[in-house]
Amino acid sequence: MSDDRLNLFIKPQEYFREKLLTAQGQMQTNLDEELSFYIVNLLVEYITPPQITEDGTDNTANIMDYPLAILLKHALEAPPRKRYQIFKHLGDTSLYMSGFFQDYFNRKTFDIGYYMTMGRTAYHQVSSLAQEVDRDSAKSGVYRNLSQNFNVCVELLSCVSDVPGLRQNKDILGVYERWHKTHSRRLYQILVEAGITPIQTENKSAS
C-alpha cells in the first residue's frame, strides 16, 4: 500500500493537530499544550456536531442550529451542574462558528462580534462553575484561558479553515469586511499580500 493511500486514513486528531501547528507558525503565536489539546478535540467533535436535548422535551437538535440566545436562557435557568454543560456548549459553538465560518456572518443581520462576546462570556462562566461544582482548579484554568484568549483561538481556527488563494473580488471583499469588523492582523496581512492596504482606524480586537 502506498504512502499516499495511507494518508487517506490519517486520524482526525493528527490532521487537526498538524493544521493547528501550521496556523500557529503562520500567526507567530503559541498556545499552551492544554489549550491546543482542547481546540484539536473541539475540531474533531464538530466533524459531527453534538446533539442537545431541547428543554423540557425528548427532542434533540443539532447544536449548530440552536440559537445562542436560547442556549443562554436555558443556562441561566438551569441548576449549576447542568448550567456548566450548557455554557460549555455555548462557548464551544461560538468558538467554532466564529473561527470556521467567518464568511457566514456577512449574510446575517448580526456580526461575528455577537458570537465572540457570547463565547468569551460562556467560557468565563464555565471556568467559575468548574471551580464551584467540581472544585477543579485545573479545569477552571483551561476555560479561563479560553475566555482570555478567545480572539487568538478564533483567528487560529480561521487560519485552519482558510482555502489558499484569493482569486475573486468577492473573496477579497469578504476578507476586507471581516478585517473591518475585527482588525485582525492576520486578515490585514492577507489584504496586503493581495495588493490592498486597508486604512487603520481604531483597534477593535487585534489578535
Side-chain angles (χ1 to χ4, degrees):
M1 184 178 291
S2 69
D3 289 341
D4 288 342
R5 183 166 177 78
L6 283 172
N7 285 338
L8 295 176
F9 299 97
I10 189 170
K11 293 180 180 179
Q13 287 89 348
E14 295 174 3
Y15 174 81
F16 285 123
R17 187 178 298 113
E18 179 183 336
K19 293 297 184 183
L20 185 60
L21 286 172
T22 300
Q24 289 183 76
Q26 291 173 350
M27 289 181 56
Q28 297 182 332
T29 188
N30 289 305
L31 298 181
D32 64 43
E33 186 175 345
E34 286 185 331
L35 204 50
S36 295
F37 182 78
Y38 190 95
I39 291 176
V40 167
N41 284 340
L42 174 67
L43 289 169
V44 172
E45 181 181 13
Y46 274 68
I47 291 173
T48 304
Q51 299 288 312
I52 62 169
T53 302
E54 296 184 1
D55 193 54
T57 74
D58 294 327
N59 298 327
T60 60
N62 186 318
I63 189 71
M64 303 282 283
D65 298 329
Y66 214 77
L68 298 189
I70 300 300
L71 273 181
L72 177 61
K73 178 178 183 293
H74 290 339
L76 294 174
E77 295 172 350
R81 190 166 294 280
K82 181 72 177 294
R83 189 183 312 151
Y84 169 94
Q85 197 61 42
I86 298 174
F87 270 125
K88 181 182 181 301
H89 282 314
L90 182 55
D92 288 348
T93 303
S94 299
L95 175 56
Y96 186 76
M97 289 293 292
S98 298
F100 234 68
F101 294 102
Q102 289 193 1
D103 289 334
Y104 163 87
F105 295 97
N106 291 332
R107 302 191 298 272
K108 296 296 179 179
T109 56
F110 48 82
D111 64 25
I112 192 174
Y114 171 79
Y115 271 67
M116 293 178 73
T117 299
M118 281 283 199
R120 278 192 298 267
T121 302
Y123 281 140
H124 176 76
Q125 292 293 330
V126 177
S127 175
S128 298
L129 288 163
Q131 188 67 49
E132 175 187 338
V133 175
D134 295 329
R135 307 297 183 193
D136 192 330
S137 297
K139 186 183 293 184
S140 176
V142 171
Y143 289 107
R144 182 169 58 251
N145 200 357
L146 279 163
S147 178
Q148 293 172 348
N149 293 283
F150 195 86
N151 286 20
V152 174
C153 293
V154 165
E155 284 299 292
L156 286 169
L157 287 185
S158 181
C159 194
V160 168
S161 73
D162 273 346
V163 176
L166 289 170
R167 297 184 178 87
Q168 300 178 11
N169 289 337
K170 66 177 182 179
D171 295 328
I172 297 174
L173 178 60
V175 170
Y176 178 80
E177 289 175 348
R178 284 156 52 189
W179 172 81
H180 184 69
K181 292 172 182 176
T182 66
H183 281 210
S184 157
R185 285 193 287 267
R186 183 184 66 83
L187 297 179
Y188 180 86
Q189 188 59 37
I190 289 174
L191 290 169
V192 169
E193 290 174 359
I196 297 172
T197 303
I199 299 174
Q200 294 275 15
T201 52
E202 63 174 310
N203 188 2
K204 293 183 180 180
S205 58
S207 51

